[in-house]
Amino acid sequence: MRFLPGYDGFFRLRRFELSFRTFGGGVSERVQREGFAAFDAALVLPYDPVRDCVLLIEQFRYGPVLREDPTPWMLEPIAGLVDAGEEPADTARREAMEEAQLDLSGLEPMMQVYPSPGYTSEYFHCFLGIADLGGQHGTVAGLDAEHEDIRSHVVPFDRAMALIETGEINVGPLAMMLLWLARHRDRLRAAA
C-alpha cells in the first residue's frame, strides 16, 4: 500500500493506492481510494436494571445537516474518543460523567465493531453501563470547550425498543446496543 497526500483538519482524509488478494486467487489491479482515518471510540448505554430503563442522550449532529435532514438532533448512546494510552472502559466512564453527569456503578463489555468499514478506520468499543437512573431525565451536560449541548432522556426499555420500530431511533450503534440489551436483559434484571 502506498499513501498519497490527503487532508488533515478536524477530520483526517487519507488517500492510498493498493492491490489486494481476490477471492478467485489472483491479485486485483492497483486501485486508488480515500478514507477517513479515525480514532477508536468508546460507547456506553446506561441501563438501570431495577427500573428497567435506559439513558439516551440527544444532541445536534452535522451528518444529518449535510443530508438536509430537518431533525438533526439525534438520540444516541454516550460516546467519546479514546485518548492515547487510555483504556476504552475508562473512556466510557469519563464520557458518562461529561455527557450525562452520570457515575456508573458497573460496566459490561458488549461488542467491538467497525461501524462503516467501507470508508473509515473508526472502531467502536461498546459497553453497557449499570447505573441508578433515578433523577437523570432532562439533565443537560457536555463540555463547553467541545461545544457540546447534550440532553439526557431516561426511557423505559420497551419504549426504547418501540422507538427503533418508529424510526425515531435511527442511529445504528444505539439500535445495535439496544438489541444486545434485549438478549441479556433477563440476566441483568435477575442479578439486580
Side-chain angles (χ1 to χ4, degrees), residues 47-144:
Y47 177 62
D48 184 332
V50 174
R51 291 179 176 83
D52 196 26
C53 292
V54 293
L55 183 141
L56 310 178
I57 62 166
E58 180 182 16
Q59 62 183 317
F60 185 85
R61 289 305 202 185
Y62 303 103
V65 169
L66 290 172
R67 295 190 76 240
E68 298 182 16
D69 188 320
T71 54
W73 289 267
M74 302 276 103
L75 291 174
E76 302 176 325
I78 292 168
L81 298 178
V82 178
D83 290 339
E86 186 178 33
E87 290 297 320
D90 294 334
T91 303
R93 288 183 184 284
R94 173 176 51 81
E95 290 294 330
M97 187 57 70
E98 289 177 8
E99 294 189 354
Q101 298 174 356
L102 182 63
D103 190 20
L104 303 173
S105 62
L107 201 60
E108 182 170 331
M110 295 171 101
M111 72 278 296
Q112 296 180 0
V113 297
Y114 287 99
S116 192
Y119 76 93
T120 180
S121 64
E122 189 171 34
Y123 193 71
F124 290 169
H125 303 267
C126 301
F127 298 93
L128 184 77
I130 303 299
D132 177 354
L133 298 179
Q136 288 296 129
H137 186 76
T139 300
V140 176
L143 297 179
D144 291 339

Side-chain angles (χ1 to χ4, degrees), residues 5-28:
Y7 172 79
D8 281 315
F10 185 79
F11 290 108
R12 295 177 303 160
L13 180 67
R14 293 292 180 255
R15 295 178 59 220
F16 52 93
E17 188 177 277
L18 60 79
S19 296
F20 54 88
R21 284 183 327 219
T22 65
F23 290 119
V27 175
S28 75

